[in-house]
Amino acid sequence: MSILPGATKKSFAGRDLRHRTLDRYLFKLCDFRGLDLRGDSLRGVSFAGCDLRDADLRDTDLSYARFSYVVTHDPEYGRTDTEARWNGADLRGVIAERVIGWPRGLPVSGDTPG
């Protein structure tokens, strides 16, 4: 499967993309529901308007990634098993703005109001 650095309106739902290098990619309006990204390098990736419900981001390198207008869990159901999984992810320098469901306690630097 070829993923272009400018993927827009693509569905990767339920795919297994473990241990890939996708540094500095821009994902816009993409569906990542249930996607397995464990162990990936996602340094500097931008997720804009994406759905990350139930995505597995454990042990990923998300340093300096940007999350804007992203959904990480379904707010209608509160905290449930539809939440993205973040254990062991490197979140150094992450920017998160207008993220529905950003987990409390996860570090975020460079927050912008909104």
Side-chain angles (χ1 to χ4, degrees):
M1 180 179 109
S2 175
I3 301 175
L4 300 176
T8 301
K9 294 185 181 179
K10 300 234 186 242
S11 177
F12 303 101
R15 303 288 309 255
D16 182 345
L17 296 178
R18 289 179 288 178
H19 307 292
R20 306 270 179 114
T21 299
L22 305 172
D23 296 342
R24 294 179 299 282
Y25 279 33
L26 167 61
F27 295 107
K28 188 174 179 181
L29 303 171
C30 291
D31 183 358
F32 292 102
R33 288 176 294 168
L35 181 67
D36 190 344
L37 291 163
R38 286 178 288 168
D40 278 10
S41 179
L42 301 169
R43 295 177 56 86
V45 166
S46 179
F47 295 99
C50 297
D51 189 340
L52 292 165
R53 288 178 287 174
D54 199 31
D56 194 341
L57 298 161
R58 291 177 291 177
D59 301 317
T60 58
D61 183 353
L62 288 162
S63 52
Y64 306 101
R66 177 182 208 92
F67 296 85
S68 64
Y69 295 94
V70 169
V71 176
T72 64
H73 87 276
D74 191 338
E76 293 293 316
Y77 299 105
R79 302 265 184 220
T80 67
D81 61 354
T82 63
E83 291 180 57
R85 292 177 297 288
W86 305 88
N87 302 19
D90 181 350
L91 300 172
R92 172 188 36 194
V94 164
I95 296 173
E97 55 187 358
R98 298 188 177 165
V99 174
I100 296 172
W102 188 261
R104 288 191 175 120
L106 280 185
V108 178
S109 64
D111 271 343
T112 57

